[in-house]
């Protein structure tokens, strides 16, 4: 058997050699995934670049029109709002998830009765389908009488009038950010906690002997050690937040007055509601420069972690 | 003396427990509120007097209403079928690719690993415009089968990334021993290494299933017709009466539709947690 495998030149032996050598088996095992992603991701990416330089509309044939889509886009109020909204949404959500995640991780780093259940339950906002939990939030923040307003106005007497959470431009954005934080906080906390618990106790003991307060020890010893994990989590979450479609679509459809629309939703509205496929593609392409910076940074950080 | 000490200790810990309780209320109240609303009568849903946190006249009528809407269960069946099939396809593709990237030495292995990570990070909102055109070109736009083809675009990169990390940590010796004993390489991989990697494969599968179940954008953009919808895209527009949302039935639909994921989470909590620390994220 063994000699037949190395000597024989029948087709069967040839195939079994292909499946034996790492230099051939590797590409064979990789090929279904590679072909699939090439057809379904690389090709669509090139397709999108092409479409963004054409005047393609639903049902029409694409004609090359150079940078017209981009010029048109940059002069619109809708696109300006999309950029501002995306920056506001991403920056506020990320800063608060980072700070809240660190806080929650340090709470969970202390043993308490029921911590196992608290940790498992705490992850629900992140595990449960966004679509259905956002519907519940929509009901919590509903205009007029809703549980949020009853608590704020009638019970706590913080406000004289019900707040128009999803009808006011600023409050809509604040609600959107709040729900993003609600959903992402458990993810930040759990990954930060895993990193914090990976820090060796000896280093922390040494810091304590040197007279460091718990606060000082955290920022000067623990935090620098977990920083690479923190950066990767922030980068990956920034990409997800920037490209978010579900939350603004479900909660406000981008309104009122385009105050909560983000890149994906603007592209979706232009493409599927207005039929302006070329311009829709251009909107998604404007995300690309920022995306590539974020993706390359994540890649460098992850590689460095794997080597370190 | 001893009980006194204990009492003092408990009192000292009280603020901490209050803090934990406050955090838990913030994170879990929406689920409770959705569920409670789903058990209320039409009148009680909008009543905020007395103790509105507990249904005064608990009823299952909102759930009964779902049973009279034939589309809702159609969407359930559609979601199950699309999620199971795209999870299966993606897991098979990803086990092969993840194994190759992690354990075989061949030209381009490192580059493949990098490309998988890049595609994993590309947000879903980035390529849906050209994907819709691609689907139209091949005649699948509007059909449910468009989702079998497009869901793996976000499942394969993630599952491959997770599995290649997992395969790196599965020991090599058992596979080598089996080959010395006369097994073929493929035989050794399938019979020795894959069973050892089962926890990782399970994690990848569970995450793929959950991600498919929760998907919204593609199911809105690529599928037409009420009978072809997923639960997510179906439920979103279903409970409106003109400008008015019908919250009782809507909360019942949301609760029911979340139940399979809740059950999956109860049975596989550890798999979810290990997947999260491996870098599963959606923002």
């Amino acid at each position: 058997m063994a000699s037949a495998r190395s000597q024989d030149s029948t087709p069967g032996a040839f195939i079994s050699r292909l499946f034996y050598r790492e230099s051939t088996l590797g590409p064979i095992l990789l090929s279904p995934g590679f072909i699939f992603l090439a057809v379904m991701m690389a090709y669509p990416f090139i397709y999108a670049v092409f479409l963004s330089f054409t005047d393609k509309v639903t049902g029409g044939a694409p004609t090359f029109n150079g940078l017209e889509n981009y010029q048109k886009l940059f002069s619109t109020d809708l696109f300006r709002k999309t950029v501002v909204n995306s920056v506001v949404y991403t920056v506020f959500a990320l800063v608060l998830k980072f700070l809240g995640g660190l806080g929650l991780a340090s709470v969970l780093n202390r043993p308490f009765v029921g911590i196992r259940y608290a940790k498992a339950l705490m992850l629900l906002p992140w595990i449960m389908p966004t679509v259905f939990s956002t519907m519940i939030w929509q009901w919590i923040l509903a205009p007029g009488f809703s549980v949020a307003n009853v608590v704020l106005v009638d019970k706590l007497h913080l406000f004289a009038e019900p707040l128009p959470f999803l009808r006011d431009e600023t409050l809509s954005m604040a609600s959107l950010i709040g729900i993003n934080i609600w959903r992402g906080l458990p993810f930040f906390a759990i990954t930060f906690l895993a990193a914090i618990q990976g820090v060796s106790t000896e280093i922390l003991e040494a810091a304590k002997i040197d007279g460091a307060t718990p606060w000082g020890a955290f920022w000067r010893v623990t935090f620098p050690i977990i920083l690479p994990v923190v950066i990767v989590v922030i980068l990956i979450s920034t990409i997800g937040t920037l490209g978010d479609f579900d939350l603004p679509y479900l909660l406000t459809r981008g309104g009122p007055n385009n105050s909560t629309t983000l890149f994906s939703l603007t592209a979706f509205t232009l493409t599927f509601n207005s039929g302006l496929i070329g311009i829709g593609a251009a909107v998604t392409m404007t995300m690309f420069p920022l995306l590539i910076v974020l993706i390359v940074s994540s890649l460098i950080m992850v590689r460095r972690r794997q080597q370190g | 003396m001893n009980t006194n000490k204990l009492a003092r200790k408990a009192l000292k810990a009280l603020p901490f427990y209050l803090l934990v309780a406050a955090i838990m209320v913030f994170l879990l109240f929406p689920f409770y509120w959705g569920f409670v609303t789903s058990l209320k009568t039409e009148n009680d849903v909008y009543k905020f007097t007395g103790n509105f946190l507990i249904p005064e006249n608990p009823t299952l009528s909102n759930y009964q209403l779902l049973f009279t809407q034939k589309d809702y269960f159609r969407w359930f069946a559609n979601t199950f079928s699309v999620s199971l099939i795209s999870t299966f396809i993606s897991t098979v593709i990803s086990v092969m690719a993840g194994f190759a990237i992690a354990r075989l030495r061949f030209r381009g292995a490192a580059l493949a690993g990098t490309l998988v990570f890049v595609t994993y990070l590309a947000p879903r909102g980035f390529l849906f415009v050209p994907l819709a055109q691609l689907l139209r070109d091949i005649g699948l736009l509007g059909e449910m089968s468009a989702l079998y083809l497009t869901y793996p675009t976000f499942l394969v990169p993630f599952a491959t990334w997770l599995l290649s990390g997992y395969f790196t940590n599965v020991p090599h010796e058992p596979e080598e021993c089996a080959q010395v004993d006369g097994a073929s390489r493929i035989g050794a991989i399938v019979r020795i290494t894959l069973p050892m990697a089962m926890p990782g494969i399970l994690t990848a599968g569970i995450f793929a299933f959950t991600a498919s179940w929760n998907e919204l954008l593609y199911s809105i953009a690529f599928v037409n017709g009420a009978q072809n919808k997923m639960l997510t895209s179906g439920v979103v527009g279903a409970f409106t009466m003109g400008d008015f949302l019908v919250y009782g039935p809507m909360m019942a639909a949301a609760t029911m539709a979340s139940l399979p994921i809740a059950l999956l989470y109860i049975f596989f909590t550890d798999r979810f947690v290990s997947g999260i620390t491996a870098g599963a994220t959606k923002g």
Side-chain angles (χ1 to χ4, degrees):
Chain A
M1 274 292 273
S3 66
R5 188 184 287 148
S6 54
Q7 301 293 327
D8 222 330
S9 56
T10 61
F14 176 70
I15 287 168
S16 78
R17 268 204 304 279
L18 282 182
F19 281 92
Y20 181 77
R21 283 196 201 128
E22 297 198 9
S23 59
T24 48
L25 180 61
I28 289 171
L29 291 181
L30 199 60
S31 54
F34 182 81
I35 294 167
F36 178 74
L37 292 180
V39 174
M40 297 299 291
M41 289 191 92
Y43 170 66
F45 174 68
I46 296 163
Y47 203 165
V49 175
F50 163 73
L51 286 171
S52 78
F53 294 118
T54 70
D55 63 355
K56 170 84 177 153
V57 292
T58 306
T63 324
F64 185 78
N65 67 354
L67 291 170
E68 208 182 300
N69 290 338
Y70 292 93
Q71 281 163 350
K72 221 182 269 174
L73 207 55
F74 292 152
S75 67
T76 60
D77 196 42
L78 172 64
F79 186 71
R80 195 184 52 79
K81 278 189 175 167
T82 303
V83 174
V84 173
N85 294 342
S86 301
V87 171
V88 170
Y89 178 62
T90 308
V91 169
F92 274 95
L94 259 297
V95 168
L96 292 169
K97 278 190 283 190
F98 163 68
L99 293 175
L102 273 187
L104 189 48
S106 48
V107 166
L108 295 170
N109 197 24
R110 205 176 127 171
F112 59 86
V113 182
I115 188 166
R116 248 182 71 89
Y117 295 101
K119 267 186 186 165
L121 285 170
M122 201 192 76
L123 275 171
L124 284 175
W126 190 85
I127 305 282
M128 286 293 130
T130 300
V131 175
F132 307 123
S133 46
T134 309
M135 288 176 134
I136 301 175
W137 274 107
Q138 213 173 20
W139 164 223
I140 290 176
L141 303 173
F145 266 83
S146 62
V147 67
N149 273 323
V150 167
V151 170
L152 292 174
V153 178
D154 293 358
K155 306 285 169 189
L156 299 174
H157 300 290
L158 289 175
F159 299 95
E161 305 246 317
L163 297 173
F165 287 106
L166 306 177
R167 296 274 159 99
D168 175 82
E169 298 193 9
T170 313
L171 281 175
S172 297
M173 180 48 91
S175 307
L176 202 66
I177 293 168
I179 299 170
N180 181 294
I181 293 166
W182 172 80
R183 183 184 62 178
L185 199 59
F187 167 71
F188 274 62
I190 289 291
T191 38
F192 289 174
L193 180 66
I196 289 172
Q197 292 182 336
V199 175
S200 96
T201 48
E202 282 168 35
I203 302 177
L204 289 171
E205 287 298 324
K208 210 187 272 175
I209 290 164
D210 290 344
T213 60
W215 179 258
F218 179 80
W219 287 110
R220 262 183 252 134
V221 181
T222 308
F223 190 71
I225 297 175
I226 68 166
L227 189 60
V229 177
V230 170
I231 293 176
V232 170
V233 169
I234 288 178
L235 285 170
I236 293 180
S237 178
T238 303
I239 296 169
T241 307
L242 200 66
D244 195 2
F245 170 82
D246 295 10
L247 264 185
Y249 178 82
L250 292 163
L251 198 68
T252 56
R253 294 286 196 280
N257 195 16
N258 295 327
S259 60
T260 53
T261 191
L262 307 176
F263 285 108
S264 314
L265 183 54
T266 300
F268 178 90
T269 315
L270 290 171
T271 306
F272 295 103
N273 297 356
S274 314
L276 302 169
I277 297 166
I279 295 185
V283 172
T284 61
M285 281 303 116
T286 55
M287 272 196 277
F288 184 66
L290 196 54
L291 275 183
I292 205 75
V293 170
L294 291 165
I295 287 174
V296 170
S297 317
S298 318
L299 201 62
I300 292 168
M301 286 308 299
V302 168
R303 283 275 176 277
R304 204 180 284 168
R305 240 174 87 202
Q306 282 167 344
Q307 282 155 9
Chain B
M1 189 64 187
N2 215 345
T3 47
N4 216 338
K5 226 182 197 168
L6 213 69
R8 220 179 306 147
K9 219 172 146 190
L11 203 66
K12 230 183 112 189
L14 190 65
F16 180 75
Y17 278 90
L18 285 177
L19 175 69
V20 172
I23 295 167
M24 296 309 281
V25 167
F26 168 63
L27 293 174
L28 300 179
F29 176 74
F31 299 113
Y32 176 76
W33 185 239
F35 179 61
V36 163
T37 305
S38 78
L39 297 176
K40 287 183 178 177
T41 59
E42 211 184 326
N43 285 328
D44 288 353
V45 165
Y46 303 97
K47 216 177 88 187
F48 286 101
T49 49
N51 191 354
F52 55 86
L53 291 176
I54 293 162
E56 210 174 324
N57 318 295
T59 169
L60 290 174
S61 62
N62 290 322
Y63 290 90
Q64 275 166 351
L65 199 93
L66 295 179
F67 281 94
T68 62
Q69 280 218 319
K70 67 175 192 327
D71 277 344
Y72 185 75
F73 288 92
R74 174 98 199 215
W75 300 335
F76 235 104
N78 288 352
T79 308
F80 255 112
S81 114
V82 169
S83 300
L84 279 176
I85 291 173
S86 43
T87 297
F88 179 76
I89 298 170
S90 305
T91 309
V92 171
I93 293 177
S94 303
V95 164
M96 291 163 67
F99 181 90
I101 290 169
R103 295 168 77 104
L104 299 176
R105 275 157 309 187
F106 61 97
R107 282 182 63 184
L111 179 68
T114 303
L115 288 177
V116 163
F117 189 65
V118 170
T119 51
Y120 154 54
L121 288 181
R124 227 168 292 169
F126 184 53
L127 289 179
F128 69 98
V129 178
L131 275 174
Q133 295 309 304
L134 171 69
L135 290 166
R136 185 189 304 273
D137 295 346
I138 58 177
L140 287 180
L141 190 67
E143 308 286 325
M144 214 168 83
S145 48
L147 302 182
Y148 297 124
L149 207 58
T150 49
Y151 278 14
T153 59
F154 56 88
L155 303 178
V156 167
F158 169 68
T160 306
W161 165 251
L162 190 114
L163 283 167
S164 71
Y166 204 88
F167 277 124
T168 312
N169 295 324
V170 172
H172 289 242
E173 291 80 15
E175 192 182 309
E176 284 158 10
C177 288
Q179 284 187 68
V180 171
D181 290 347
S184 68
R185 186 188 284 272
I186 295 288
I189 293 169
V190 170
R191 274 193 296 272
I192 309 292
T193 306
L194 285 195
M196 287 169 76
M198 224 45 210
I201 297 172
L202 191 65
T203 305
I206 288 170
F207 266 89
F209 185 83
T210 308
S212 311
W213 192 276
N214 300 353
E215 208 286 329
L216 175 68
L217 174 54
Y218 289 2
S219 62
I220 293 180
F222 302 156
V223 163
N224 281 330
Q227 76 284 0
N228 283 332
K229 283 184 176 172
M230 300 291 106
L231 270 172
T232 49
S233 48
V235 168
V236 165
F239 299 97
T240 51
M241 276 165 42
D243 223 12
F244 186 69
L245 293 170
V246 196
Y247 288 110
M250 191 168 143
M251 292 301 110
T255 305
M256 284 269 284
S258 303
L259 203 60
I261 301 303
L263 290 175
L264 205 59
Y265 182 56
I266 291 169
F267 285 117
F268 297 105
T269 311
D270 295 344
R271 296 290 102 224
F272 274 98
V273 173
S274 73
I276 288 168
T277 37
T281 179
K282 57 182 174 192

